[in-house]
Structure formats: structure tokens, C-alpha cells
Amino acid sequence: MSARAVFSGLRLAMMVSFIALTGMLFMLIFNVEGALYVGSIYALACSMPLIVFESGLLMPSLLQRIRRFSTPAFFLSSLGIYFVLSGMGFAAAGIVMKTTGLLDAHWKQVLLIRPPAFAYTLIFFLGGLTILRVRQLLGRQVFRSLVTGRYRTPIQEERIFLFIDLVGSTAYAREFGDLRAQEFLGEIFADFAGHVRKNMGEIDDYVGDCAIITWPMQEGLQQARCVRCLYDILDDINAHADWWQTHFGRVPQLSAALHGGAVVTAEIGVFHHKITYFGDVVNTTGRIETLCKSLGQPVLISDDLLERLRLPDGIVACSQGAHLLKGRNEPLVVHALTRSDSDCRPPALPRAS
């Protein structure tokens, strides 16, 4: 069993234990008659549907939709969904305990949440929703790093970076206007989120029409997640090409670059905190992305990173030669990633970028 699986199991066990304890605590605070395990069962029954929903296993399309809402709309819609799910869980637990003889009470008490329990649950819901919203806005890894203070002292580590740029965004803005162009860009970035999360990545920043995605080196190399993430995004766009054409008059065309290596990661800021990365790797990834246009290849990967991973089935690399990038003393060999060898084009002559 992997260390990640063990950690996930421990985290789940701690979460379940905490929820069970909150149920016992309710019984004690409000002097409710009955065994403490009744409170634990109710608490778990109310909470597990919410955990399943937030993990994306229950009504995933609805979850993705409300995550795109403004914060007030997010809170209101989440509260409504949470209370429906928790109410169903409460009733289910009551039916089970009543029919099995674990609970001897009137059906109304068994099935309906009373005002004290409602208020108690609301407090935990609001606290949980606030944490989830902040975590969503900052990103999972950034939120965890800020809470633990991991990068308060700068740390040198290896990371992979994926730059994804929208091709033709300026022309789109001229044709459809800046507001429509921003809506188009926002929808594209929102479409990235699920694929990035599935592949254990983190969206570090948005710079104009470019999204910067990153992984700790080993996580990004495992199962070639950094490459799979990109092609999941590209495949999703191709699968919904008609939708894009109908709603925005254009199917998004992307260019992308992958590179990795040693960076210094640090938490900066006082009133506005941010995890940022220092080093040549980030700049080099951006320079590689600018090569996409001149080489006529939508996806490029550095030779340094390619040597360290095994490409997914169906993806091939085609050498594009060595290029002297701005800010580097030595030429860097890059490769185009394509679906087949027939898509490869001859590499251009080395040039400064």
C-alpha cells in the first residue's frame, strides 16, 4: 500500500472520529436523553452524504456548477443542498435505529431535526463552508501549506510546471469585444479545474490568457499525470466542440509547454499571502511555450522532463531540436507531443527566443 493511500486512510479515520465526537458532544451540551452512540450515529448519517457530495461522487455536475457561483450564491446554494442531504441522512439513521430497537422514541423525534440540533448543525455547516470556500479560492495545496506554515521558510524542491495559453485571444477580443472575451476565457479556465484536480495538480496562477499549473515532481511524474492532465483538457474541449462553437462562436485552441526542475518555494506577503516559486524553471517553461507558435507545434516538452517520465499510451514525442532561450546560456532540446508520429513536423533551426 502506498504512503498516499495510508495517509488518505488515516485522514478519513480522523474525520469520521471527529464527526462521531461532535454527535456525542451535542448529546452532552443539550442534555439529551439516550446513549451517546445515538448522537454519533446521527452525526455520521448527516455528514457522510455531504462528504460524498463534496468528493464529487454524488451529483458531480451540480457540484461543479455551484463552485462557479459567486461567494454569496455559493453559500446559499450549498446550505440548501447540505440541509436536504443531511436531513435525508438524519431520517435514514432514525428509521434504522427505530426499527432495530436501538432507539426508543416517537417517530417525529426520530425523523425530524429539532431546533437545537438544527442550530448546532448550522454552526458546523457555516464553519465548514467557509473553510471549503477559502480552500477552493486558494487551492488545496496552497491552503494546506499556508495553514501548516510549510513554506514560511523558503524550501528548495523539484516541481513540474505546465503553461497553457489560449491561442488567438487578442483576435477574439477584437471580434467579439473584451467582455465576451473574458467570459470565454473564464469558461475555459473553469473547464480546466476538474481535470487538474483529478490529476493531483494545482492551478498556481492565471496570467492574462495563460494558466500556470504545477505539481511536486514525483506526483507529476507518477502515471505521467502532468501529461495526462493536459490531454484530458484537450480531449474535453474536442468532445464539446459543438457546445463551444454554439455558445462562444469559437472552439478554444491551446498551446502548452511542460518543464520541470529545482525551484525555491516560499510563502510571501503580510496582508496578502501567496505561495510563489523562484528559479529558472518557471521562466524557462514560459519561454518554451513561446516556441509553440514558431515551431508550429501546440504542445512542447523539455528534454529534461521527458527523460524522467513515461508517456501515456497513444502519446508520442517528436524532437524539435535545440533552441537557445532568452535567459539561458545553453540551448535546450524540446520535443513536440502528438497523438501519432505522422503529426510530427521537421524541427526548425535553432533560434533565440
Side-chain angles (χ1 to χ4, degrees):
M1 183 179 292
S2 67
R4 177 177 291 277
V6 172
F7 177 75
S8 297
L10 289 174
R11 185 171 58 184
L12 179 61
M14 291 176 62
M15 183 185 302
V16 169
S17 299
F18 174 76
I19 293 171
L21 286 173
T22 62
M24 293 182 183
L25 185 61
F26 172 81
M27 301 283 284
L28 294 172
I29 291 176
F30 292 95
N31 222 7
V32 179
E33 295 182 1
L36 293 179
Y37 67 78
V38 172
S40 296
I41 293 173
Y42 268 127
L44 289 169
C46 290
S47 301
M48 293 312 295
L50 311 185
I51 295 172
V52 174
F53 174 72
E54 283 294 334
S55 67
L57 299 176
L58 178 65
M59 299 182 291
S61 59
L62 177 60
L63 177 65
Q64 292 299 322
R65 191 175 301 117
I66 67 171
R67 282 180 172 173
R68 299 184 183 186
F69 290 171
S70 64
T71 296
F74 170 81
F75 268 86
L76 291 174
S77 57
S78 295
L79 280 173
I81 294 168
Y82 278 18
F83 279 118
V84 169
L85 293 176
S86 63
M88 293 172 62
F90 188 94
I95 292 171
V96 171
M97 287 191 289
K98 175 73 172 177
T99 55
T100 57
L102 293 176
L103 187 60
D104 183 19
H106 190 272
W107 278 108
K108 184 177 180 180
Q109 293 177 309
V110 167
L111 298 177
L112 300 178
I113 302 178
R114 286 171 291 176
F118 180 87
Y120 185 78
T121 304
L122 182 61
I123 292 171
F124 279 98
F125 279 176
L126 290 175
L129 278 174
T130 301
I131 293 173
L132 284 172
R133 188 57 168 178
V134 173
R135 181 173 176 263
Q136 177 189 345
L137 293 173
L138 294 178
R140 291 176 298 163
Q141 293 183 15
V142 172
F143 177 75
R144 183 167 60 245
S145 299
L146 289 173
V147 170
T148 61
R150 179 183 179 188
Y151 296 119
R152 197 58 189 170
T153 300
I155 295 175
Q156 188 168 47
E157 60 181 358
E158 287 197 309
R159 299 192 73 89
I160 295 172
F161 291 89
L162 167 61
F163 278 46
I164 304 180
D165 187 68
L166 175 63
V167 177
S169 59
T170 302
Y172 186 92
R174 282 199 298 265
E175 182 177 352
F176 295 95
D178 290 338
L179 289 177
R180 188 60 172 164
Q182 187 57 48
E183 290 177 7
F184 184 42
L185 195 60
E187 191 66 35
I188 294 170
F189 288 158
D191 201 50
F192 286 7
H195 302 298
V196 173
R197 182 174 184 178
K198 182 181 73 174
N199 288 283
M200 310 300 292
E202 191 77 20
I203 299 177
D204 172 60
D205 206 354
Y206 302 105
V207 182
D209 56 5
C210 179
I212 302 174
I213 303 166
T214 183
W215 291 261
M217 180 63 73
Q218 292 307 313
E219 290 189 5
L221 292 177
Q222 189 174 7
Q223 302 175 10
R225 288 191 182 109
C226 57
V227 177
R228 290 182 186 276
C229 176
L230 172 60
Y231 277 91
D232 284 348
I233 291 170
L234 296 175
D235 290 344
D236 185 87
I237 289 174
N238 289 333
H240 298 90
D242 291 341
W243 184 91
W244 288 103
Q245 188 67 45
T246 300
H247 286 78
F248 291 99
R250 191 74 50 84
V251 179
Q253 299 296 317
L254 306 178
S255 61
L258 281 156
H259 182 47
V263 297
V264 174
T265 308
E267 178 186 339
I268 61 173
V270 177
F271 296 108
H272 175 69
H273 290 255
K274 186 181 187 303
I275 304 297
T276 191
Y277 307 100
F278 300 92
D280 178 62
V281 171
V282 181
N283 293 332
T284 298
T285 310
R287 302 295 183 189
I288 295 172
E289 195 278 322
T290 63
L291 280 177
C292 290
K293 182 177 181 179
S294 59
L295 295 178
Q297 293 288 356
V299 181
L300 295 175
I301 185 173
S302 69
D303 187 67
D304 297 343
L305 181 59
L306 182 62
E307 288 183 347
R308 302 179 68 170
L309 59 77
R310 179 179 177 181
L311 290 175
D313 294 338
I315 306 297
V316 297
C318 177
S319 177
Q320 297 295 297
H323 297 261
L324 185 60
L325 304 179
K326 183 177 180 180
R328 287 179 61 96
N329 296 325
E330 298 294 331
L332 180 70
V333 176
V334 296
H335 303 261
L337 296 183
T338 65
R339 291 291 190 182
S340 66
D341 291 322
S342 61
D343 294 331
C344 285
R345 299 187 183 93
L349 294 174
R351 56 181 294 181
S353 299

